Amino acid sequence: MFAPTVLALASLASIVAGDQCSGNGSKCPNNVDGVSPTYLQCNSWTHKYDSFNCPAGQVCFANPNRPGTAMCGLPGSGGIPGQGSCTGNTAKCVSAGQSGNYYQCNQWSGQYVNAQCPAGLKCHNNASNTGVYCQ
Ligand SMILES: *[C@@H]1O[C@H](CO)[C@@H](O)[C@H](O)[C@H]1NC(C)=O
Ligand SMILES: *[C@@H]1O[C@H](CO)[C@@H](O)[C@H](O)[C@H]1NC(C)=O
């Protein structure tokens, strides 16, 4: 029942396409984040990875919110393991008042990415705890 898809994508082989797999998990080629414009999706019928293209301009990342799956995102938007998903413009300090590092929601991927206050400023969570300011 999956044969048409398999045939259509068989030519997009990459280094680990064709490797054995089980279930319907996905991963980045060679398990390297943020590089490949393709991702590998386990074909639950053939039990081998098929290679698929990310949307133009995007690259493959391991999805920190769904272990065992990959996601496509803009380069640099890979998400931070353990920080969960996010929406909108939300941000949170890594260590409020202690350093300038914070996590900023990347709206496209719905994942937090690392961000930093301007040099010399510390991160503070704002009153509603949904954003930060630097001071
Ligand atoms: C596999 O597919 C099922 C049904 O679509 C889904 O519930 C499950 O989360 C998927 N597993 C992975 C690892 O993607
Ligand atoms: C906190 O920051 C978020 C994101 O910028 C913003 O939407 C929200 O209105 C801010 N809350 C307050 C109380 O300023």
Side-chain angles (χ1 to χ4, degrees), residues 14 16-20 40 47-50:
S14 77
V16 292
D19 282 4
Q20 292 281 331
L40 300 165
H47 301 290
K48 291 186 174 174
Y49 282 111
D50 292 330

Side-chain angles (χ1 to χ4, degrees), residues 36-62:
S36 175
T38 64
Y39 65 95
L40 300 165
Q41 171 68 55
C42 190
N43 182 314
S44 56
W45 186 58
T46 62
H47 301 290
K48 291 186 174 174
Y49 282 111
D50 292 330
S51 181
F52 292 87
N53 290 318
C54 285
Q58 295 177 19
V59 292
C60 183
F61 294 98

Side-chain angles (χ1 to χ4, degrees), residues 86-92 103-107 112 130-132:
C86 58
T87 56
N89 194 33
T90 53
K92 54 186 179 183
Y103 303 127
Q104 172 68 53
C105 190
N106 177 281
Q107 296 186 42
Y112 286 106
T130 53
V132 302

Side-chain angles (χ1 to χ4, degrees), residues 24-25 66 69:
N24 56 358
R66 285 189 61 203
T69 67

Side-chain angles (χ1 to χ4, degrees), residues 110-130:
Q111 309 280 314
Y112 286 106
V113 297
N114 284 310
Q116 212 160 25
C117 288
L121 301 182
K122 306 255 191 267
C123 179
H124 302 272
N125 293 306
N126 76 3
S128 57
N129 263 328
T130 53

